[in-house]
Amino acid sequence: MERWEVLWQSTALSAFTWGQAAMMIVGAVLLYLAIVKKFEPLLLLPIGFGAVLANIPLAGFTEPGGMLYYIYAVGIDTGVFPLLIFMGVGAMTDFGPLLANPRTLLLGAAAQFGIFATLFGAIALNGLPGFAFSLKDAAAISIIGGADGPTAIFLASKLSPDLLGAIAVAAYSYMALVPIIQPPIMKALTTKAERAVKMEQLRQVGRREKVLFPLAVLLLTLLFLPTATPLVGMFCLGNLMREAGVVDRLSKTAQNELINITTIFLGLAVGSKLSASEFLSVQTLGILGLGAVAFAVGTASGVLMAKLMARFSKSPINPLIGAAGVSAVPMAARVVNKVGLEANQSNFLLMHAMGPNVAGVLGSAVAAGILLALVG
Amino acid sequence: MERWEVLWQSTALSAFTWGQAAMMIVGAVLLYLAIVKKFEPLLLLPIGFGAVLANIPLAGFTEPGGMLYYIYAVGIDTGVFPLLIFMGVGAMTDFGPLLANPRTLLLGAAAQFGIFATLFGAIALNGLPGFAFSLKDAAAISIIGGADGPTAIFLASKLSPDLLGAIAVAAYSYMALVPIIQPPIMKALTTKAERAVKMEQLRQVGRREKVLFPLAVLLLTLLFLPTATPLVGMFCLGNLMREAGVVDRLSKTAQNELINITTIFLGLAVGSKLSASEFLSVQTLGILGLGAVAFAVGTASGVLMAKLMARFSKSPINPLIGAAGVSAVPMAARVVNKVGLEANQSNFLLMHAMGPNVAGVLGSAVAAGILLALVG
Amino acid sequence: MERWEVLWQSTALSAFTWGQAAMMIVGAVLLYLAIVKKFEPLLLLPIGFGAVLANIPLAGFTEPGGMLYYIYAVGIDTGVFPLLIFMGVGAMTDFGPLLANPRTLLLGAAAQFGIFATLFGAIALNGLPGFAFSLKDAAAISIIGGADGPTAIFLASKLSPDLLGAIAVAAYSYMALVPIIQPPIMKALTTKAERAVKMEQLRQVGRREKVLFPLAVLLLTLLFLPTATPLVGMFCLGNLMREAGVVDRLSKTAQNELINITTIFLGLAVGSKLSASEFLSVQTLGILGLGAVAFAVGTASGVLMAKLMARFSKSPINPLIGAAGVSAVPMAARVVNKVGLEANQSNFLLMHAMGPNVAGVLGSAVAAGILLALVG
Amino acid sequence: MQEQLFEAFSIMVTGMVTVFVFLVLLMAAMLVLKRFAAEPFDAESNAMKAAATPTPIQSADDTQRLAAITAAVHAYRHDHESAE
Amino acid sequence: MQEQLFEAFSIMVTGMVTVFVFLVLLMAAMLVLKRFAAEPFDAESNAMKAAATPTPIQSADDTQRLAAITAAVHAYRHDHESAE
Amino acid sequence: MQEQLFEAFSIMVTGMVTVFVFLVLLMAAMLVLKRFAAEPFDAESNAMKAAATPTPIQSADDTQRLAAITAAVHAYRHDHESAE
Ligand code: NA
Ligand code: NA
Ligand code: NA
């Protein structure tokens, strides 16, 4: 009899809290979004699964001795996992379109206004009851506007680890929603004639420029913004390995096995931060709302910057490509291409949008460095 | 002169103990079994090599600062390595045959009697002189009957780390011996007519069922047996990654590079637990004997359960498939197929045996959870 | 205003030291050598990049909390990374040519004189002002003569971690320079007639010998030189996985993904030891000079030993193959082939030089074990 | 000893019952899945999926198939050339 | 609150200015690179490089291509045999 | 200094002797292996083994071979169609 009692006490049924049950549903929703809706499945599937595991009563996944505890301690607390992901992303990134059209860096800069406006917005939200974001919290939330997963996770783990789960979920969800969020804003801010503008073909960029570019980025970053060097440095290392042409086996491993292994662990560890006490609060609603604002503002500022540049440029600029400045590589560039095609069936903007798109990755890594310097 | 003295003192010849020499021979035997006899070489080769390294006098592999010490601490003490292996196994497992014939789950359940009978047997052995197994020891030993390597290593590392080496060696050795251990038992318990029974072709199982199945397993486990969630959870994660169809690159990495890397380290770390003081004792003989009993009892209970089910089933059931319930995937299923072919040259049981085979994996993970709950 | 002040204080410009700036240039030179000159790019690219990152003021890469700090602590302090590289190298090594001509082991032994002569030379350098190498320092420096990267890093991390950066850089640089350093020495010590000597074709070596060989090496090492077992043991494990034929998936992973991942991290961690305070000293010049001496002496002793053997041998021996005894696999063997072809256009020495070449790897791992035993 | 034996026996019974109960529950869940999630079988999609996730064994097959194809193409080339 | 809002506003301004300054500097660096490092474009080497670094997607394509080839070869074999 | 030099010299001598003794022992072991473990050489099995462990370089070759085959098949297809 007593043994049955022990078994019953060891079932979760006897120990479930409402919060844990609710968080399991959150995890299930993330799995649904990943598998059925194909929302950034590489991340949201492990995050959702991690959220389920982390909220199982009596299983102890997130306590010392539990697997998620170790993975979080090793990879997120130290910042190593997002940096490895960023190295892999660097190894997958082709800066050719940006080098062919350096002006598009300005679009990647303008779109970061989504980040800084959201920081202001988060502090402003404190005027409402139930919100009490510190400056660090606000900075961590605002990075959602960077539309870049590893950057958001890295910054949140440094500034506001308690909000990490919600921030990562918001960042990846909105990145998946880019095809829904961006087009209305892009269309509202442009005329059909503007959207139909064709751009000149990009010049071919040689290997030497591509090899020197990540080194130039690193040099500027280390001189002017050393707090951004972990992110930018690892990104540039990946890109250098890609372009150097002498370490292809390292570059391929960074793009494939290493980033895959890290992604599984990173996702689980992020999911393990989705606890009821942190996630089931009005703050999370605030984070989701602010994230949407961040994406919208970033998109709008990119487009408006592109319109401004078009006015002063000799060669034609289609303002749509400004929207790609938020990064969300390569989704945002594809959206630009699609909206451009709608306006003009022979207008292929994909390569033109890749420039601001990768510029947006650098821009948000730089913005993260600034936030670390100012509020870290 | 003095310098030669230092060198001599630093040779192993001056420091060897008989126990270490004997354990080296044990390691060599494992290497022989792995390489020449092809006994589970993926595990037994690194285990055997680890056993040799761990017993080198003055080399300090298993002391702080030594490589095997670190690998054990990082991967086995934390439980992470067996869980990663289990995730990879999940990603390699096709639950289609089980879903097509859910009744075969009962065979996977029945075969776990090998585990629980062995637990009883281990305690009964304490009646003999030289044996003093605690309940935890007995539970760790009994899991050999689960015929599943990572489950055995995970449970032994939690309940009885000192016996880990002997338990893992026994588990993998008997898994390799399945083609020798099982057929006599299967034939003794069945008539030739029974063995010749053909089963109906299995229905095709769609993707939706396959995606939902690991989630259903996880749900039941977390509700009723949270202590089994580390093992079952990681297994289900691997299987979900496989079936979801949206994270193929993660699934492939889990099935290949990640499981390979982990296997090398896991094997070395398990081998490092083969020390003379633990292994060269009458206990080890007991463990080996109990392991054989566990396999035999598991096989028999699976077959008997299948006979029972055949009596009450409308569609024909070949009782041989019950033997596959011990798991030892896919070896046991192949043995079933072979014995079936001997009785009837056109009787292909392989797919029918895969159902109980994968059910046996779940069954022993569940049994491990029960043991953790009751004696952990 | 104050905020701008904060930002300026957080730029590196306000904090750079001359030493850090100089070390960045050192890092840039290493990147140049790796990418443009193709000097061992797999290692020198990450080392150079690591050197740049480690010397960024205010970025804290090498302080607790910084990524390079963790990587160094996990992989170099423990010795695990060089051992994993060595396992991978073992899995890539074919001992066939050595087994076909066992006498070439003596060439691999003779070439280690480069190591021990350099140890003496390093202590002798202490006679000059500015040098104060301890015996441990001298031993760590002398291993450069082993012409084997992981061995050098492993030994330096144990005996003289402060010199690790300079030693690793010297070792890899000289390995890349083998085609420039060796030929003049080889030509000076041989006549054209000697260089033109053709050798008899090697016998084919069967699988059984190849499987037993790494085990024989391990056995001798553990009996007579246990301090060499970490290096030799992991090398033999890799080679056994390669030759056993039953664990091909482990062998492939060890040769590809695992060694690639480890190489990236190892390179970054080694680079992180290139700090101004250690590297910008007259000691480094001494290390570079001693490294050159070590390569030259090793090459010369190999060639002279081959000449000696040729005098007493029935079958012809081309003394050039002695130069391959320094290891630097497979570069040194290719150099031998090239110099041999210059003397006789139909003289293909590549396979004959592979024997001493892989013997040199074993020889320097053994020498490292001896140094650990005598001064460790 | 007697007491420990009894405890082991009781664990044996409890354990087996729990394993059975658990797997019967899972069987029920599978029947629910079958009823509500089963889909008409789509041979093509499954075949494609199998092709898209090569296991190490399959990729070895691929190499062999590749070799076979190469041989076949060479043979055809040869035939074709001789035919002309 | 007022104070915190002001601080956030000031970070917003500082941050955007710094981002722009930084990326303008980078733009200048790119123009320098273009002037001093640009090389005549070599179409062949780029094409080869792209071929040499297959992404996972490309290797999936390879599998499909392989399947297509297999099918094609089988078809040819069949035609050929029936032709004889 | 003198003393340290002597120590270094003595390590040099001890070390070289030990290296030689060790590798001579290993040479002896190899001769034993040759006598007792050598097997008649089996060309086919070695060739198969080499084929079974493709290095990254070989798999790059595969890609190129694949490309070649694809081209060949297309050419055949084309010829075949035009022949009909
Ligand atoms: Na961005
Ligand atoms: Na089992
Ligand atoms: Na060497």
Side-chain angles (χ1 to χ4, degrees):
Chain A
M1 272 310 92
E2 186 200 345
R3 200 160 304 283
W4 292 105
E5 177 68 21
V6 169
L7 262 184
W8 167 252
Q9 288 298 341
S10 72
T11 66
L13 288 172
S14 66
F16 248 109
T17 64
W18 284 110
Q20 289 167 325
M23 290 314 294
M24 296 230 165
I25 293 171
V26 169
V29 168
L30 292 177
L31 290 174
Y32 172 82
L33 293 176
I35 298 172
V36 180
K37 294 292 176 190
K38 298 189 172 45
F39 273 27
E40 297 280 336
L42 293 173
L43 265 297
L44 287 189
L45 190 149
I47 290 176
F49 210 93
V52 173
L53 294 182
N55 286 286
I56 303 175
L58 308 177
F61 274 96
T62 57
E63 287 152 32
M67 197 186 63
L68 297 181
Y69 172 85
Y70 292 122
I71 295 178
Y72 188 89
V74 166
I76 310 269
D77 251 3
T78 64
V80 169
F81 284 169
L83 294 179
L84 291 181
I85 303 264
F86 223 49
M87 179 174 76
V89 172
M92 290 191 229
T93 297
D94 178 5
F95 278 117
L98 180 60
L99 284 162
N101 197 1
R103 292 179 306 171
T104 54
L105 262 180
L106 294 179
L107 302 173
Q112 307 316 317
F113 188 59
I115 293 177
F116 293 104
T118 303
L119 187 149
F120 184 76
I123 294 300
L125 256 192
N126 286 347
L128 296 184
F131 293 99
F133 293 125
S134 69
L135 258 185
K136 289 192 177 190
D137 293 340
I141 294 167
S142 70
I143 201 70
I144 298 173
D148 186 87
T151 300
I153 293 169
F154 182 79
L155 196 74
S157 74
K158 300 286 178 202
L159 295 181
S160 191
D162 286 343
L163 301 182
L164 172 61
I167 289 172
V169 165
Y172 282 105
S173 301
Y174 287 126
M175 280 161 70
L177 287 171
V178 150
I180 293 167
I181 297 173
Q182 288 198 318
I185 299 166
M186 293 156 76
K187 288 177 185 164
L189 295 175
T190 52
T191 64
K192 184 163 183 192
E194 285 172 330
R195 295 199 292 276
V197 169
K198 283 196 187 183
M199 293 178 67
E200 290 166 6
Q201 215 195 321
L202 294 174
R203 73 173 175 106
Q204 297 275 15
V205 175
R207 179 174 165 254
R208 210 186 304 155
E209 273 179 274
K210 286 189 175 179
V211 171
L212 289 172
F213 180 68
L215 294 171
V217 173
L218 179 66
L219 180 67
L220 286 175
T221 311
L222 70 87
L223 286 178
F224 298 111
L225 210 52
T227 49
T229 45
L231 280 167
V232 173
M234 292 308 283
F235 190 83
C236 290
L237 172 59
N239 194 249
L240 183 65
M241 295 198 300
R242 170 198 182 86
E243 301 295 352
V246 290
V247 292
D248 280 349
R249 58 183 290 164
L250 302 187
S251 166
K252 278 183 212 170
T253 294
Q255 289 177 50
N256 292 290
E257 291 79 20
L258 183 51
I259 203 173
N260 290 348
I261 293 172
T262 311
T263 300
I264 294 173
F265 291 146
L266 178 79
L268 288 173
V270 167
S272 78
K273 294 300 274 186
L274 290 174
S275 67
S277 59
E278 292 298 337
F279 194 82
L280 296 181
S281 72
V282 67
Q283 286 200 348
T284 300
L285 289 180
I287 291 172
L288 289 172
L290 289 165
V293 167
F295 267 69
V297 172
T299 304
S301 9
V303 172
L304 292 174
M305 184 71 188
K307 287 183 76 158
L308 186 70
M309 284 169 63
R311 186 162 304 173
F312 295 100
S313 166
K314 276 177 293 181
S315 57
I317 293 179
N318 187 315
L320 289 177
I321 67 170
V326 296
S327 51
V329 183
M331 188 86 82
R334 285 197 199 133
V335 167
V336 169
N337 195 54
K338 187 157 163 281
V339 177
L341 278 174
E342 283 171 15
N344 176 345
Q345 284 220 333
S346 64
N347 193 6
F348 296 95
L349 293 171
L350 188 64
M351 290 316 285
H352 298 287
M354 285 309 296
N357 214 190
V358 299
V361 177
L362 289 179
S364 48
V366 165
I370 294 169
L371 291 173
L372 276 176
L374 291 180
V375 311
Chain B
M1 271 309 92
E2 187 200 344
R3 200 160 305 283
W4 292 106
E5 176 69 19
V6 169
L7 262 183
W8 167 253
Q9 287 299 343
S10 74
T11 66
L13 288 173
S14 66
F16 247 110
T17 65
W18 284 109
Q20 288 167 324
M23 290 314 294
M24 296 230 165
I25 293 170
V26 169
V29 169
L30 293 176
L31 290 175
Y32 172 82
L33 293 176
I35 297 172
V36 179
K37 294 292 176 190
K38 299 190 172 44
F39 273 27
E40 297 280 335
L42 293 173
L43 264 297
L44 287 189
L45 190 149
I47 290 177
F49 210 92
V52 173
L53 294 182
N55 284 285
I56 303 175
L58 309 177
F61 274 96
T62 57
E63 288 152 31
M67 197 185 64
L68 297 181
Y69 173 85
Y70 292 122
I71 295 179
Y72 188 88
V74 166
I76 310 269
D77 251 3
T78 63
V80 169
F81 283 170
L83 294 179
L84 291 181
I85 302 264
F86 223 50
M87 179 174 75
V89 172
M92 290 192 230
T93 298
D94 178 5
F95 279 116
L98 180 61
L99 285 162
N101 197 0
R103 292 179 306 171
T104 53
L105 262 180
L106 294 178
L107 303 173
Q112 307 316 318
F113 188 59
I115 294 177
F116 293 104
T118 304
L119 186 149
F120 184 76
I123 295 299
L125 257 192
N126 286 347
L128 296 183
F131 293 100
F133 293 124
S134 69
L135 260 184
K136 290 193 178 190
D137 293 341
I141 294 167
S142 70
I143 201 70
I144 298 172
D148 186 87
T151 301
I153 292 169
F154 183 80
L155 197 73
S157 75
K158 299 286 178 203
L159 295 181
S160 192
D162 287 343
L163 302 181
L164 173 61
I167 289 172
V169 164
Y172 282 105
S173 300
Y174 287 126
M175 280 160 68
L177 287 171
V178 150
I180 293 167
I181 297 174
Q182 288 199 318
I185 300 166
M186 292 155 76
K187 288 177 187 165
L189 295 175
T190 53
T191 65
K192 186 165 181 191
E194 284 172 329
R195 294 199 293 277
V197 169
K198 284 196 188 185
M199 293 178 67
E200 289 167 6
Q201 216 196 320
L202 294 174
R203 73 173 174 105
Q204 297 273 16
V205 175
R207 179 173 165 255
R208 210 188 303 157
E209 273 178 275
K210 286 188 176 180
V211 171
L212 289 173
F213 180 67
L215 294 171
V217 174
L218 178 65
L219 180 67
L220 286 175
T221 312
L222 71 87
L223 286 178
F224 298 112
L225 210 52
T227 49
T229 45
L231 280 167
V232 173
M234 291 309 282
F235 190 84
C236 290
L237 172 58
N239 194 251
L240 183 65
M241 295 198 301
R242 170 199 181 86
E243 302 295 353
V246 290
V247 291
D248 281 349
R249 58 184 289 165
L250 302 187
S251 165
K252 278 184 212 170
T253 294
Q255 288 177 50
N256 292 290
E257 291 79 20
L258 184 52
I259 203 174
N260 290 348
I261 293 172
T262 312
T263 299
I264 295 173
F265 291 146
L266 179 79
L268 288 173
V270 167
S272 78
K273 294 301 273 187
L274 289 174
S275 66
S277 60
E278 292 298 338
F279 195 81
L280 295 180
S281 73
V282 68
Q283 285 201 350
T284 300
L285 289 180
I287 291 172
L288 289 172
L290 289 166
V293 169
F295 267 69
V297 172
T299 304
S301 7
V303 172
L304 293 175
M305 183 73 187
K307 288 184 77 158
L308 186 71
M309 284 169 62
R311 186 162 304 173
F312 295 100
S313 165
K314 275 176 292 182
S315 58
I317 293 181
N318 187 315
L320 290 177
I321 67 169
V326 297
S327 49
V329 183
M331 189 86 82
R334 285 198 199 133
V335 167
V336 168
N337 194 55
K338 187 156 163 283
V339 177
L341 278 174
E342 283 171 15
N344 176 346
Q345 285 220 332
S346 65
N347 192 7
F348 296 95
L349 292 170
L350 188 64
M351 288 318 284
H352 298 287
M354 284 310 295
N357 215 189
V358 299
V361 177
L362 288 179
S364 49
V366 166
I370 294 169
L371 291 172
L372 276 176
L374 291 179
V375 312
Chain C
M1 272 308 92
E2 187 200 344
R3 201 161 303 284
W4 292 105
E5 177 69 19
V6 170
L7 262 185
W8 167 252
Q9 287 298 342
S10 73
T11 66
L13 288 173
S14 66
F16 248 109
T17 65
W18 284 109
Q20 289 167 324
M23 289 314 294
M24 296 229 166
I25 293 171
V26 170
V29 169
L30 292 176
L31 290 174
Y32 172 82
L33 293 176
I35 297 172
V36 179
K37 293 293 176 190
K38 299 191 172 44
F39 273 27
E40 297 280 335
L42 293 173
L43 264 298
L44 287 188
L45 190 149
I47 290 177
F49 210 92
V52 173
L53 293 182
N55 285 285
I56 303 175
L58 309 178
F61 274 97
T62 58
E63 288 153 30
M67 197 186 63
L68 297 181
Y69 173 85
Y70 291 122
I71 296 179
Y72 188 89
V74 166
I76 310 269
D77 251 3
T78 64
V80 168
F81 283 170
L83 294 179
L84 292 181
I85 302 264
F86 223 50
M87 179 174 75
V89 172
M92 290 192 227
T93 297
D94 178 5
F95 278 117
L98 180 61
L99 285 162
N101 197 0
R103 293 179 305 172
T104 54
L105 262 180
L106 294 179
L107 302 174
Q112 306 318 316
F113 188 59
I115 294 177
F116 293 103
T118 304
L119 186 149
F120 184 77
I123 295 299
L125 256 192
N126 285 347
L128 296 183
F131 292 101
F133 292 125
S134 70
L135 259 184
K136 290 193 178 189
D137 293 341
I141 295 167
S142 70
I143 202 68
I144 298 173
D148 186 87
T151 300
I153 293 169
F154 183 79
L155 196 74
S157 75
K158 299 288 178 201
L159 295 182
S160 192
D162 286 344
L163 301 181
L164 173 61
I167 289 172
V169 164
Y172 282 104
S173 299
Y174 287 127
M175 281 161 67
L177 287 171
V178 150
I180 293 167
I181 296 174
Q182 288 199 318
I185 299 167
M186 294 156 75
K187 288 177 187 166
L189 294 175
T190 52
T191 64
K192 185 165 181 190
E194 285 173 330
R195 294 199 293 276
V197 169
K198 283 196 187 182
M199 293 177 68
E200 290 167 4
Q201 215 196 321
L202 294 174
R203 72 173 175 104
Q204 297 273 15
V205 176
R207 179 175 165 254
R208 211 188 304 156
E209 273 178 274
K210 286 188 175 179
V211 171
L212 289 172
F213 180 67
L215 294 171
V217 174
L218 179 65
L219 180 67
L220 286 176
T221 312
L222 70 88
L223 286 179
F224 298 112
L225 210 53
T227 48
T229 45
L231 280 167
V232 173
M234 292 308 282
F235 190 83
C236 290
L237 172 58
N239 195 249
L240 182 65
M241 295 197 302
R242 170 199 181 86
E243 302 295 353
V246 290
V247 292
D248 280 350
R249 58 184 288 165
L250 302 187
S251 165
K252 277 183 213 170
T253 295
Q255 288 177 52
N256 291 291
E257 291 79 21
L258 183 52
I259 203 174
N260 291 347
I261 293 172
T262 311
T263 299
I264 295 173
F265 291 146
L266 178 79
L268 287 173
V270 167
S272 78
K273 294 300 273 187
L274 290 174
S275 66
S277 59
E278 292 297 339
F279 194 82
L280 296 181
S281 71
V282 67
Q283 286 200 351
T284 298
L285 289 180
I287 292 172
L288 289 173
L290 288 166
V293 168
F295 268 69
V297 173
T299 303
S301 9
V303 172
L304 292 175
M305 184 70 188
K307 287 183 78 158
L308 185 70
M309 284 169 63
R311 186 162 303 173
F312 295 100
S313 166
K314 276 176 293 184
S315 57
I317 293 180
N318 186 315
L320 290 177
I321 67 169
V326 297
S327 52
V329 183
M331 189 86 81
R334 285 195 199 135
V335 168
V336 168
N337 194 56
K338 187 156 164 283
V339 177
L341 278 174
E342 284 170 15
N344 176 346
Q345 285 220 333
S346 65
N347 193 7
F348 296 96
L349 293 171
L350 188 65
M351 289 316 285
H352 298 287
M354 285 309 296
N357 213 189
V358 298
V361 177
L362 289 179
S364 49
V366 166
I370 293 169
L371 292 172
L372 276 175
L374 291 180
V375 311
Chain D
M1 177 68 202
Q2 202 66 25
E3 193 184 332
Q4 223 189 3
L5 263 182
F6 176 75
E7 201 170 357
F9 182 81
S10 119
I11 290 176
M12 182 172 84
V13 173
T14 326
M16 275 313 284
V17 171
T18 314
V19 166
F20 262 100
V21 169
F22 188 87
L23 293 189
V24 167
L25 279 173
L26 189 53
M27 217 167 83
M30 287 163 79
L31 296 174
V32 171
L33 275 188
K34 187 177 171 184
R35 169 146 317 179
F36 296 102
E39 47 205 353
F41 181 70
D42 175 356
E44 195 184 343
S45 77
N46 261 36
M48 275 175 63
K49 213 189 141 221
T53 54
T55 62
I57 293 160
Q58 286 175 301
S59 66
D61 284 353
D62 281 354
T63 312
Q64 293 172 7
R65 229 192 305 161
L66 189 60
I69 297 167
T70 317
V73 168
H74 279 295
Y76 276 82
R77 209 164 219 163
H78 188 262
D79 289 354
H80 200 257
E81 281 168 7
S82 58
E84 285 182 310
Chain E
M1 177 67 203
Q2 202 65 25
E3 195 185 331
Q4 223 190 4
L5 263 182
F6 176 73
E7 201 170 358
F9 182 80
S10 120
I11 291 176
M12 181 172 86
V13 173
T14 326
M16 274 313 285
V17 171
T18 313
V19 165
F20 263 100
V21 168
F22 188 89
L23 293 188
V24 166
L25 279 173
L26 188 54
M27 216 167 85
M30 287 164 78
L31 296 174
V32 171
L33 275 189
K34 186 177 170 184
R35 168 147 315 177
F36 296 102
E39 49 205 351
F41 181 68
D42 175 358
E44 195 184 342
S45 76
N46 262 35
M48 276 174 63
K49 214 189 140 219
T53 55
T55 62
I57 292 159
Q58 285 174 302
S59 65
D61 284 353
D62 282 353
T63 311
Q64 292 174 6
R65 231 191 305 160
L66 188 61
I69 297 168
T70 317
V73 169
H74 279 297
Y76 275 82
R77 210 165 218 162
H78 187 261
D79 288 354
H80 199 258
E81 281 168 7
S82 58
E84 286 182 312
Chain F
M1 177 69 203
Q2 201 65 26
E3 195 185 331
Q4 223 189 3
L5 262 183
F6 175 74
E7 202 171 356
F9 182 81
S10 118
I11 291 175
M12 182 172 84
V13 173
T14 326
M16 274 314 284
V17 171
T18 313
V19 165
F20 262 100
V21 168
F22 188 88
L23 292 190
V24 167
L25 279 173
L26 189 53
M27 217 167 84
M30 286 163 80
L31 296 175
V32 171
L33 274 188
K34 186 179 171 184
R35 168 147 316 178
F36 296 102
E39 47 206 352
F41 182 69
D42 175 357
E44 195 184 344
S45 76
N46 261 38
M48 275 176 63
K49 212 190 142 219
T53 56
T55 62
I57 292 159
Q58 285 175 302
S59 65
D61 284 353
D62 282 353
T63 311
Q64 293 173 6
R65 230 191 307 161
L66 189 61
I69 297 168
T70 317
V73 169
H74 279 295
Y76 276 82
R77 208 163 221 164
H78 187 260
D79 289 354
H80 200 257
E81 281 169 6
S82 58
E84 286 181 312

